[in-house]
Amino acid sequence: MSKQAETLDVERIREDFPILEREFDGTQLVYLDNAATTHTPEPVVETITDYYRTYNANVHRGIHQLSQEASVAYEEAHDRVAEFIGASGGREEIVFTKNTTESMNLVAYAWGLNELGPGDEVVLTEMEHHASLVTWQQIAKRTGAECKYVPITDEGRLDMEAARELITDDTAMVSVVHVSNTLGTINPVSELADIAHDHDAYVFVDGAQSVPNRPVDVEAIDADFLAFSGHKMAGPTGIGVLYGKQHILEEMEPYLYGGEMILKVTFEDSKWNELPWKYEAGTPVICQGIALAEACDYLDDIGMERIERHEADLAAYAYDRLREHADVEVYGPPADDRGGLVAFNLDGVHAHDLSSILNDSAVAIRAGDHCTQPLHDVLGTAASARASFYVYNTRAEVDRLVEAVDDARQLFA
């Protein structure tokens, strides 16, 4: 049996995450807020510690040994991340930022402000995260471009017939979330890329909820840009990634200026550094980038296909368990066709109250609009509760979630 066909040894994996052993009033933590941030395994923590203890130095600025070691590790981290997402162009196509949001803003400012104008259109979807929706909305206001939104169906999927009508020769950019952080919908990003490219438009894929938990190959889906964050994939906070096709990144102008992104400066003008440093102004996220490369190793050692199956199993199990009661509404596609999260509401109980009651049982979930306020408007609710899963979660923890929901039902009966 191949590694990818095996099931996860979850109990062994949990040993790498000592935070999961925490107890609150004698009750062990059940952490189901992984779409917001995942926990960090010991090998990644050790990588961070090793950097600060043995070769902490600024990169590309020193001839001394520490700087050389840090520079090599930081550069190789770009190569490792490129390999992880199938970017054959290597480090030249990988820009380190501080999060997915900054990656989106980089493209919006560096490309959008220069390329968009009246008559141009940016096509998004009704399920976009604010990081995408607000960014393109505001850039459109500055440039005179127009934002259009692909609607969702009653099942929470994209209306692809509407997408084909909305994406036209006036479309300059299609920005789409790969896996919805609210609905769990897995969007057909490759099909959307084909439609967009038929109209000479670019495609920006928000991979914040897909890269951490399933195989993602940027060349297979033909994304022009893709963004994701380290803290959602067993890595540290403060590190994000922007993938961009090399020829596009070469043509774009940077929007942050200063150290590192400079090749030559005179009093009259400046020339930019080569990729990817052209977009990494100032002292970069050195330790975070090196630790992210270790997180890629950690996840690959487990197997991304196995992680995908494990999350899908937990999401389907949670979907079915929660729907055992008619007073629970679960949002998004059916149990067997969703990413590793379930957003839901319990009749008569506000999502924030529900989250508080679950917290009393040491069950940690997310409650609110999940940075998708317009989507919640479409769903007809101000907020929802969201349970999201990762490599270290179990069906027994889903049972704990359902028991806590039952407690809330009785409390508000």
Side-chain angles (χ1 to χ4, degrees), residues 30-250:
V30 172
Y31 184 81
L32 302 178
D33 194 19
N34 296 285
T37 197
T38 59
H39 289 304
T40 313
E42 288 294 279
V44 177
V45 174
E46 291 167 3
T47 296
I48 296 169
T49 302
D50 181 58
Y51 168 80
Y52 283 115
R53 284 179 171 169
T54 62
Y55 62 105
N56 176 27
N58 216 322
V59 296
H60 305 152
R61 286 163 167 76
I63 304 302
H64 60 82
Q65 184 65 27
L66 291 182
S67 180
Q68 291 183 42
E69 291 178 8
S71 297
V72 169
Y74 184 67
E75 291 169 2
E76 290 179 347
H78 287 71
D79 296 332
R80 180 64 184 94
V81 172
E83 179 187 26
F84 188 75
I85 60 171
S88 61
R91 70 183 63 170
E92 287 81 6
E93 296 186 318
I94 302 296
V95 178
F96 283 169
T97 62
K98 69 175 181 291
N99 48 43
T100 303
T101 300
E102 184 179 283
S103 297
M104 291 178 170
N105 275 267
L106 192 161
V107 174
Y109 279 85
W111 176 85
L113 281 183
N114 292 314
E115 298 296 332
L116 294 176
D120 291 325
E121 296 173 351
V122 176
V123 175
L124 303 103
T125 78
E126 289 185 339
M127 64 178 75
E128 294 307 300
H129 190 281
H130 294 167
S132 171
L133 194 156
V134 176
T135 299
W136 290 114
Q137 176 193 79
Q138 296 304 309
I139 291 296
K141 286 185 176 182
R142 294 192 186 190
T143 60
E146 181 182 1
C147 287
K148 294 186 175 181
Y149 300 91
V150 179
I152 62 172
T153 67
D154 291 341
E155 274 197 341
R157 307 180 195 273
L158 287 182
D159 183 336
M160 291 302 293
E161 182 176 343
R164 293 184 182 89
E165 294 177 356
L166 287 169
I167 300 171
T168 70
D169 289 344
D170 293 327
T171 304
M173 175 68 75
V174 176
S175 188
V176 57
V177 62
H178 194 172
V179 176
S180 169
N181 73 314
T182 297
L183 300 173
T185 309
I186 306 166
N187 286 320
V189 291
S190 181
E191 182 179 354
L192 285 166
D194 288 342
I195 298 170
H197 292 153
D198 285 343
H199 294 280
D200 295 323
Y202 287 145
V203 172
F204 195 132
V205 176
D206 174 358
Q209 301 294 340
S210 61
V211 172
N213 52 51
R214 65 195 59 243
V216 173
D217 186 319
V218 291
E219 295 181 2
I221 63 178
D222 203 12
D224 298 296
F225 302 99
L226 178 136
F228 57 98
S229 296
H231 71 98
K232 297 180 189 292
M233 54 179 288
T237 56
I239 176 74
V241 175
L242 171 66
Y243 158 81
K245 290 180 178 177
Q246 185 171 347
H247 72 93
I248 305 176
L249 293 177
E250 287 174 343

